[in-house]
């Protein structure tokens, strides 16, 4: 099966029982001893597995992106998928483990295709004390000025869409954005209010579980605030992931042949051509019967979804 990895300082969350993406530190040069060992590790993995899917934060491209591109060029392989994601650290760690959960049942190209789409199934953000230095979510001039007022706080969401809202004690995301029940909320406290997560955020999203996890090392670099509490909410229903996989349409890449459904092939970086659907067949003319279509010689097998696994909150 495909190996899902995160070559950056994004620790795991322990959400799925016995399943997690592999994590590697990537703060080194590709030509250093650590960089060459990393490339060798990718090569040995590809000798045993069909593909490697590597995720990294798109807002921090130098740490991991350069290392992955060097590894792919050095190995001369088209089986290393590189997927940058514009997600905060906590949400990125969750998506990596979701993909590792799907990896045994999904082709590598489909797995790489659905990686960015998982962001649309999450509610990810943070409650911060200031947005003055926030760069990765669009912020208005008025919010920048309000950051200098004593006691100001903001509710910032990065997924499913970016937004900034001045927050009061009862402010929480709109309930219409909540994932499909059962909703699970994970949060990491960095000087922010864990009580707000339990009492307000979880209640607004209809969460069945609210758990605090360790603070992500890259959280301060993303939110650029002294005090914040980062959160991500997702559905604990595995049927949500199955439905997303059924909707993923993949076509062979003209360059490397991998079946993908993204605008840029994650295996070779080739921009995919725009494909238009075939024209609808014209209705039969009056007086002429339509030619019968071919019928299968045996019943078509039903699609087998991956076995459901319970989502457990971290201890």
């Amino acid at each position: 099966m495909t190996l899902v990895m995160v070559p950056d300082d994004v620790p795991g969350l322990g959400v799925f029982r016995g399943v997690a993406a592999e994590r590697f530190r990537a703060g080194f040069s590709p030509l250093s001893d650590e960089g060459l060992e990393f490339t060798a590790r990718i090569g040995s993995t590809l000798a045993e597995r069909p593909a490697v899917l590597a995720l990294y934060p798109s807002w921090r491209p130098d740490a991991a992106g350069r290392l992955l591109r060097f590894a792919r060029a050095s190995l001369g392989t088209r089986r290393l998928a590189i997927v940058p994601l514009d997600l905060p650290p906590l949400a990125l760690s969750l998506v990596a483990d979701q993909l590792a959960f799907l990896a045994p049942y999904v082709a590598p190209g489909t797995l790489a295709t659905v990686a960015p789409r998982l962001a649309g199934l999450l509610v990810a953000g943070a409650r911060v004390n200031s947005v003055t230095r926030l760069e990765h979510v669009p912020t208005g001039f008025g919010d920048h000025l309000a950051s200098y007022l004593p006691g100001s706080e903001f509710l910032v969401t990065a997924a499913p869409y970016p937004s900034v809202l001045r927050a009061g004690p009862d402010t929480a995301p709109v309930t219409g954005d909540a994932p499909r029940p059962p909703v699970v909320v994970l949060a990491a406290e960095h000087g922010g209010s864990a009580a707000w997560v339990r009492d307000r955020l979880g209640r607004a999203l209809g969460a069945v579980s609210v758990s605090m996890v360790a603070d992500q090392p890259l959280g301060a670099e993303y939110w650029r605030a002294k005090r914040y509490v980062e959160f991500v909410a997702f559905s604990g229903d595995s049927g949500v992931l199955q439905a997303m996989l059924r909707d993923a349409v993949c076509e062979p890449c003209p360059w490397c042949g991998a079946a993908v459904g993204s605008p840029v092939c994650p295996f070779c970086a080739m921009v995919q051509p725009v494909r238009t659907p075939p024209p609808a067949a014209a209705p039969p003319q009056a007086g002429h019967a339509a030619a019968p279509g071919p019928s299968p010689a045996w019943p078509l097998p039903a699609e087998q979804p991956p076995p459901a696994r319970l989502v457990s909150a971290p201890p």
Side-chain angles (χ1 to χ4, degrees):
M1 68 178 183
T2 304
L3 172 69
V4 180
M5 61 178 295
V6 185
D8 215 329
D9 198 5
V10 182
L13 305 176
V15 176
F16 295 93
R17 294 176 180 172
V19 178
E22 291 196 18
R23 268 77 174 183
F24 299 90
R25 295 290 182 92
F28 41 78
S29 168
L31 295 177
S32 65
D33 292 339
E34 296 88 346
L36 296 177
E37 290 177 4
F38 178 82
T39 299
R41 168 79 171 104
I42 296 293
S44 61
T45 301
L46 291 175
E48 302 173 353
R49 299 180 182 236
V52 172
L53 171 59
L55 309 174
Y56 70 91
S58 60
W59 45 272
R60 197 171 184 264
D62 293 339
R66 181 173 53 184
L67 180 65
L68 290 168
R69 290 190 294 270
F70 175 84
R72 183 162 65 184
S74 299
L75 296 171
T77 181
R78 296 178 181 175
R79 294 187 289 132
L80 171 58
I82 303 176
V83 180
L85 293 180
D86 188 15
L87 285 175
L90 197 62
L92 176 63
S93 183
L94 173 65
V95 167
D97 288 342
Q98 287 178 319
L99 292 171
F101 167 72
L102 295 172
Y105 318 106
V106 182
T110 304
L111 197 68
T113 297
V114 302
R117 304 180 187 182
L118 287 172
L121 304 178
L122 307 175
V123 176
R127 187 182 176 104
V128 302
N129 73 307
S130 173
V131 294
T132 302
R133 302 173 61 201
L134 183 63
E135 299 177 353
H136 308 300
V137 178
T139 309
F141 180 69
D143 294 326
H144 277 274
L145 292 180
S147 296
Y148 292 99
L149 298 176
S152 295
E153 288 192 319
F154 302 84
L155 178 59
V156 183
T157 57
Y161 51 81
S163 68
V164 177
L165 180 67
R166 298 185 195 184
D170 299 332
T171 305
V174 180
T175 55
D177 298 333
R180 182 190 300 178
V183 178
V184 180
V185 175
L186 305 176
E189 185 180 4
H190 187 94
S193 174
W196 172 81
V197 175
R198 292 190 299 265
D199 301 337
R200 300 298 179 185
L201 178 66
R203 185 181 305 172
L205 297 176
V208 298
S209 173
V210 178
S211 301
M212 304 302 296
V213 298
D215 189 17
Q216 288 285 319
L218 299 183
E221 181 177 342
Y222 185 92
W223 300 111
R224 306 290 297 275
K226 293 182 179 179
R227 299 188 308 276
Y228 63 86
V229 54
E230 185 178 3
F231 62 86
V232 60
F234 64 102
S235 175
D237 183 1
S238 62
V240 173
L241 301 180
Q242 296 174 21
M244 181 192 60
L245 292 174
R246 287 193 296 266
D247 293 339
V249 178
C250 299
E251 299 286 346
C253 172
W255 184 259
C256 69
V260 296
S262 50
V264 177
C265 178
F267 294 93
C268 67
M270 176 75 173
V271 176
Q272 300 300 288
V274 178
R275 295 181 173 91
T276 57
Q285 298 180 0
H288 296 275
S295 58
W298 54 86
L300 296 177
E303 181 181 0
Q304 297 295 326
R309 298 186 187 180
L310 296 178
V311 176
S312 62

